Amino acid sequence: MSVEQKAAGKEEEGKLQKGIAEFYDESSGIWENIWGDHMHHGFYDPDSTVSVSDHRAAQIRMIQESLRFASLLSENPSKWPKSIVDVGCGIGGSSRYLAKKFGATSVGITLSPVQAQRANSLAAAQGLADKVSFEVADALKQPFPDGKFDLVWSMESGEHMPDKAKFVGELARVAAPGGTIIIVTWCHRDLGPDEQSLLPWEQDLLKKICDSYYLPAWCSTSDYVKLLESLSLQDIKSADWSPFVAPFWPAVIRTALTWNGLTSLLRSGLKTIKGALAMPLMIKGYKKDLIKFSIITCRKPE
């Protein structure tokens, strides 16, 4: 790669990070106002009809089911993680929940200064300031030493990462020996054995979503698994949880169309409005089996 290409790549990455930070600076307050402090999908019974209060319970269920999938719901406290990093922490909902559940310390990182400030305020208000902290940092260059965390948690942040290999490499680097890595993320479908790329209409749909949510190129679940295998990580498991998140986007659209939702949107700014207009595209992607809601977990060797 030439010096010019490297410079262009860095400039593109910088633009993406700025867009992500501004998008969440704008939209996090609206999300919290309507949905509470968990900025991720809920885990539902397939084909269920649910209300907003059910969604908040479903978001907690998403955390619990992720822990169960990673075999972390032990009754033995000696097996609980003691130190956690929340990579792409939003306003800190997962960090605070996990810290309370396990009696652990947790640090969350985000590109959004607004999110980090709000997350620290909520931690202080809930009496967790000694257990949980949040800072602005880049997930691809985490400000932590090697092997620091028993649990490396990434709940719906991987889709924002422009370099998936570097992202996974950093998750593995900061994980302690024997530590668990949990990645819950949006992926595109796995390619068939004779396919070199997604179909043109699929690429077009994903590009429209990327433009609205400040996402780089998508990858598949099998791409993530290969990256983890290349780092010699153990107990690698993955699953497609798309059926369990199906009610989520229709519900977000319904809340956006309430008076509270509409007035909040209009006050928020263009980036948030653009994101709201792209929500039907996410529904289409799920219905066409293009978008997959994936969980991938593994363990770092002792």
Side-chain angles (χ1 to χ4, degrees), residues 96-230:
R96 290 187 294 277
Y97 179 87
L98 294 167
K100 283 189 277 193
K101 182 174 185 64
F102 294 122
T105 58
S106 181
V107 57
I109 59 172
T110 172
L111 289 173
S112 165
V114 170
Q115 285 189 335
Q117 185 177 9
R118 182 62 180 151
N120 280 315
S121 296
L122 288 168
Q126 293 173 24
L128 290 168
D130 60 331
K131 286 282 192 183
V132 184
S133 64
F134 303 91
E135 60 191 85
V136 176
D138 182 357
L140 303 184
K141 293 180 226 153
Q142 295 183 37
F144 309 119
D146 296 358
K148 182 172 174 63
F149 301 103
D150 303 322
L151 173 57
V152 177
W153 176 270
S154 171
M155 175 61 71
E156 294 189 56
S157 63
E159 53 271 18
H160 282 299
M161 306 300 165
D163 186 332
K164 300 294 192 281
K166 196 184 281 189
F167 169 56
V168 169
E170 276 293 89
L171 300 183
R173 181 185 69 78
V174 301
T180 298
I181 298 169
I182 298 178
I183 303 167
V184 181
T185 188
W186 312 355
C187 292
H188 65 62
R189 65 173 177 82
D190 288 343
L191 297 178
D194 299 324
E195 287 185 301
Q196 299 302 311
S197 64
L198 293 171
L199 299 171
W201 75 263
E202 293 175 316
Q203 295 178 36
D204 183 55
L205 180 62
L206 291 185
K207 184 179 185 312
K208 287 176 184 170
I209 293 169
C210 288
D211 291 344
S212 297
Y213 294 124
Y214 297 91
L215 305 178
W218 294 48
C219 71
S220 68
T221 309
S222 63
D223 291 332
Y224 270 110
V225 169
K226 284 172 194 162
L227 287 171
L228 295 169
E229 287 171 344
S230 74

Side-chain angles (χ1 to χ4, degrees), residues 268-280:
S268 65
L270 288 173
K271 286 183 171 63
T272 308
I273 292 168
K274 192 177 173 186
L277 292 172
M279 291 189 288

Side-chain angles (χ1 to χ4, degrees), residues 258-270:
T258 62
W259 178 249
N260 185 18
L262 286 169
T263 53
S264 297
L265 265 178
L266 291 171
R267 285 197 304 267
S268 65
L270 288 173

Side-chain angles (χ1 to χ4, degrees), residues 59-77:
Q59 287 171 313
I60 298 295
R61 202 176 311 126
M62 175 62 73
I63 297 173
Q64 293 170 334
E65 291 301 325
S66 299
L67 294 171
R68 189 189 318 282
F69 189 81
S71 305
L72 285 180
L73 289 183
S74 170
E75 295 295 317
N76 182 354

Side-chain angles (χ1 to χ4, degrees), residues 9 38 87 90 104 195 275 290 294:
H38 292 281
V87 180
E195 287 185 301
L290 167 61
S294 300

